[in-house]
Structure formats: structure tokens, C-alpha cells
Amino acid sequence: MAETPSASGTRPAISVLDIIRFVVTLTAFATLALWGALGFAFPWNLIVAIGAPALAILVWALFVSPKAVFRVHPYVRALVELLVFVAATLAWWDMGQAIIGIAFGVVAVASGLAAGRRNIA
């Protein structure tokens, strides 16, 4: 989500694109949790269901979030974001839901391109 300059004491307006990006991101994290819960046998399903989204959230918070810990080049930021979305897309494929995976991938890439274009402009 882009931070635009605003008047002192006010927040930047939230756009529809910001909401779509937020929902896509939460869907990616939930997908990784679902994949972990359904894709592995008992002790491992709990570990992966907690660990996969936790790792994705950690990477997201470090590099991609609006208040990221590390300020990196926009291309690195886009690459990290793309890797999280690719992981979620591959998780759908691994669960046997290729159509959902393709649909998620298309929405994630389209929203990423729109947000990237908005940030550069």
C-alpha cells in the first residue's frame, strides 16, 4: 500500500486497490496455512500450518509492508512480494486446485502491477 504525502495530521486516503491488495495478501497467508493443515500427516501438518504463514508474514513485514523494517529497492520489494504470491499459488496447485491457483495468481499479479504502476507514477 502506497504512502502518499498528506497534510499534517491526516492519513492518506485508502483506495479500492489498497483493499484488494490487503485481501490478496491475507488470502496468500491463509492459503499457506490451509496447505500446511491439509497437505501433511499429523505432527507435520500443525508445524507447517503454523510455520509457512508465519515465515511468509515475517518476510512480508521485513521487506514489503508499508512500515517495513528494511527499506529495499522497489524491485527487490516486488520480488519478495511475488515470491509470497507464487508460494500461495503453488500451494493451491499442490492441493489439486489448479484453477483456484491460476485465478489467485492472476489477481495477485494484476493488483501488484496496478500498485507498482501507481507507486512509480
Side-chain angles (χ1 to χ4, degrees):
M1 293 179 215
E3 293 182 19
T4 57
S6 60
S8 178
T10 62
R11 292 183 175 179
I14 296 176
S15 69
V16 173
L17 181 60
D18 292 332
I19 294 169
I20 291 171
R21 305 252 318 134
F22 180 71
V23 170
V24 167
T25 304
L26 287 182
T27 303
F29 299 148
T31 296
L32 293 173
L34 182 67
W35 170 72
L38 299 178
F40 298 91
F42 169 60
W44 292 107
N45 68 342
L46 295 176
I47 294 169
V48 176
I50 295 169
L55 180 63
I57 290 169
L58 176 66
V59 169
W60 191 272
L62 290 175
F63 299 105
V64 181
S65 75
K67 295 184 180 183
V69 176
F70 300 109
R71 293 287 174 196
V72 294
H73 193 275
Y75 292 118
V76 174
R77 201 169 173 241
L79 179 65
V80 171
E81 182 178 10
L82 183 64
L83 289 175
V84 170
F85 292 150
V86 165
T89 301
L90 292 176
W92 280 114
W93 278 61
D94 188 50
M95 290 187 288
Q97 302 295 327
I99 294 174
I100 295 173
I102 290 170
F104 174 79
V106 167
V107 171
V109 168
S111 68
L113 287 173
R117 183 178 169 107
R118 180 183 67 179
N119 291 341
I120 291 173

